[in-house]
Amino acid sequence: GTSLSAPFVTGAAALLLQSAPILGSWPEIVKAVLMAASQPMTTSDTDHYGAGLVNIGAAADIIRGVNGNWGGDNPPQCSGTWPYTQQMYLLAGSQTRFAIVWSQDPNYSQYANQPQADLDLWALDPQGNQFQSQVGNSWDNNYEFIDFVPPQTGTYALMVTNYRWDSTVSRIGFAWHQAS
């Protein structure tokens, strides 16, 4: 598992950093791009297989803004405005994946037990309704991703809700990819 995949993921991340050097200061975006670009495994159990098979071609497309996009932001603090949203134009009928990753400080007092935040990820259709049957609802890591097929063409929103938040989390990286 990990000992075999680590060199491939590291190499993929290095290629992304070479193509977009600004990502060197945003590891959250690099991870989100690699997760959004990964191909789901049909027998995938995310507790055992992570986000799926690394697809460097799709990751490069995301970096170039082809069939996807990426970004990062300093999220609102606990007292700020939630939910956090990003919009994107999607085509009906094409497999789509959203991914978010948030910063994690290994010096956090509860680092061994739980991440500094528990955020949930939703997809909203052009009318603003949550529609996908799967929600990114993990609770023991610093990322979320969801796969879905948009039922109609239009502007969708990636919505991040705050379930639990430690104000020391400073950044969110996000990416999305739509199979062509």
Side-chain angles (χ1 to χ4, degrees):
T2 305
S3 60
L4 177 63
S5 62
F8 292 101
V9 174
T10 302
L15 289 172
L16 293 179
L17 292 171
Q18 185 177 14
S19 67
I22 192 162
L23 295 177
S25 61
W26 279 87
E28 299 85 5
I29 296 173
V30 173
K31 185 174 179 178
V33 167
L34 289 172
M35 292 177 77
S38 293
Q39 296 173 325
M41 295 174 63
T42 56
T43 60
S44 181
D45 170 359
T46 58
D47 286 338
H48 294 100
Y49 297 108
L53 297 172
V54 171
N55 182 337
I56 192 63
D61 283 348
I62 292 171
I63 294 299
R64 292 190 316 259
V66 176
N67 297 325
N69 217 327
W70 58 275
D73 208 345
N74 298 318
Q77 301 303 319
C78 287
S79 59
T81 304
W82 287 94
Y84 173 82
T85 59
Q86 287 291 320
Q87 295 186 335
M88 69 274 325
Y89 187 79
L90 300 175
L91 301 175
S94 295
Q95 183 65 41
T96 303
R97 179 177 274 196
F98 288 170
I100 60 167
V101 176
W102 54 95
S103 58
Q104 177 71 17
D105 180 359
N107 294 319
Y108 175 60
S109 64
Q110 295 297 314
Y111 182 78
N113 302 317
Q114 69 181 13
Q116 290 164 262
D118 185 358
L119 305 179
D120 290 327
L121 177 61
W122 302 85
L124 303 181
D125 67 17
Q127 292 74 39
N129 301 310
Q130 183 274 330
F131 70 93
Q132 86 279 7
S133 60
Q134 174 194 11
V135 60
N137 62 359
S138 63
W139 55 272
D140 60 352
N141 53 48
N142 67 325
Y143 64 85
E144 297 278 337
F145 65 91
I146 54 174
D147 294 296
F148 66 98
V149 176
Q152 67 190 64
T153 297
T155 301
Y156 286 73
L158 168 152
M159 182 176 75
V160 181
T161 57
N162 173 6
Y163 180 75
R164 182 181 51 77
W165 181 262
D166 179 315
S167 62
T168 61
V169 174
S170 59
R171 301 188 298 191
I172 290 179
F174 59 88
W176 63 273
H177 182 256
Q178 188 166 47
S180 52

